[in-house]
Amino acid sequence: MEQGKKAKVLCLHGFRTSGNFLKKQISKWHPSIFQQFDMVFPDGIFPAGGKSEIDGIFPPPYFEWFQFNKEFTEYTNLDECISYLCDYMVKNGPFEGLLGFSQGKVLSDHPPIKFMVSISGSKFRDPSICNIAYKDPIKVKSVHFIGEKDWLKIPSEELASAFVDPLIIRHPQGHTVPRLDDASVKLLSEWSSNILEDLKNEDVNVTEALDSDESADVELAENNMVEQVAA
């Protein structure tokens, strides 16, 4: 992350909604949580192929990232979705983090994501994907919002278990971006503050390493000059 710039977070909306709708949903949260981040809300690449659950609640257009069967074991246009998002992240990044609601998640060749926020997310269930995506524990700092009444509660639990030391924030609601109580705001604020601190420390370490390399190059050049003069 360049000094003075906010860490970019790619925010991926749910099925048959839009970037603007997710932006509105996240605005329910206390502004202090993500005010130090640059939140980017793109739309899915495919127009909604059917009725949206937010029709009449939030204005269209609505979009999809990919399509899937009822069991969430077969996917259509997933490769196209991943390819598009990889390209988007390279052209508009770098992105330090990922926030996704439900369908909004991605496997990427983009430089490693440092953190992830999953809201009502779930693991892919296609074995050909699972064998790659979840072969090893995912060593990315993550927070997972899991709703007690969410129809994806169990898949959300499964996704969280794929990460190392995930922060799990539970709420009594269903498949939605929840309103946060004071305890959840405190947890998420502390988590995001720790992420920022880690990013700053990483920048310091990179700068020190570069300075060290430059000093070594200068010393080597000076030694070469001394040897040439002595010769």
Side-chain angles (χ1 to χ4, degrees):
M1 185 177 71
E2 294 182 29
Q3 191 170 2
K5 284 192 174 182
K6 291 184 176 181
K8 273 192 170 184
V9 181
L10 183 63
C11 305
L12 304 179
H13 65 78
F15 188 58
R16 294 179 182 168
T17 63
S18 66
N20 282 335
F21 180 66
L22 178 59
K23 187 175 183 178
K24 180 182 179 181
Q25 290 179 297
I26 297 299
S27 71
K28 296 186 292 188
W29 292 356
H30 196 280
S32 64
I33 295 172
F34 290 127
Q35 65 183 359
Q36 298 300 318
F37 296 89
D38 181 7
M39 313 291 281
V40 180
F41 297 85
D43 289 322
I45 53 176
F46 300 103
K51 184 175 176 59
S52 169
E53 291 187 357
I54 64 171
D55 189 17
I57 300 172
F58 191 86
Y62 312 122
F63 303 90
E64 305 170 3
W65 291 107
F66 56 92
Q67 297 78 40
F68 49 90
N69 66 352
K70 186 171 63 174
E71 292 76 26
F72 210 65
T73 55
E74 297 178 5
Y75 314 98
T76 304
N77 293 318
L78 181 58
D79 288 341
E80 290 84 346
C81 168
I82 293 172
S83 177
Y84 171 82
L85 285 171
C86 288
D87 185 58
Y88 183 93
M89 293 170 79
V90 170
K91 289 181 178 178
N92 299 279
F95 288 91
E96 307 288 347
L98 176 67
L99 181 150
F101 173 70
S102 188
Q103 188 189 41
K105 50 194 174 290
V106 62
L107 311 175
S108 172
D109 294 327
H110 175 273
I113 290 294
K114 310 290 177 56
F115 60 93
M116 191 188 87
V117 179
S118 174
I119 307 166
S120 295
S122 68
K123 289 178 70 173
F124 287 105
R125 294 183 175 179
D126 183 330
S128 66
I129 297 175
C130 294
N131 292 339
I132 298 173
Y134 314 118
K135 180 181 179 181
D136 299 308
I138 303 173
K139 297 177 180 178
V140 171
K141 292 192 174 182
S142 64
V143 58
H144 303 258
F145 290 88
I146 300 177
E148 187 60 35
K149 299 177 181 177
D150 191 350
W151 62 279
L152 282 178
K153 179 183 177 182
I154 292 177
S156 292
E157 301 269 11
E158 294 172 348
L159 178 62
S161 69
F163 287 77
V164 175
D165 296 327
L167 170 62
I168 297 177
I169 298 180
R170 301 183 184 278
H171 60 87
Q173 302 166 51
H175 193 68
T176 185
V177 176
R179 293 188 180 276
L180 303 181
D181 58 22
D182 291 343
S184 297
V185 168
K186 185 174 184 294
L187 278 174
L188 190 55
S189 295
E190 290 175 350
W191 183 84
S192 62
S193 295
N194 289 334
I195 292 293
L196 284 171
E197 191 64 30
D198 289 345
L199 292 174
K200 289 177 182 177
N201 290 336
E202 184 180 273
D203 289 343
V204 170
N205 292 336
V206 169
T207 301
E208 289 177 349
L210 291 173
D211 290 344
S212 177
D213 290 342
E214 289 177 359
S215 297
D217 290 341
V218 170
E219 183 177 354
L220 179 61
E222 290 176 344
N223 289 339
N224 288 339
M225 290 179 62
V226 170
E227 290 173 1
Q228 290 173 7
V229 170

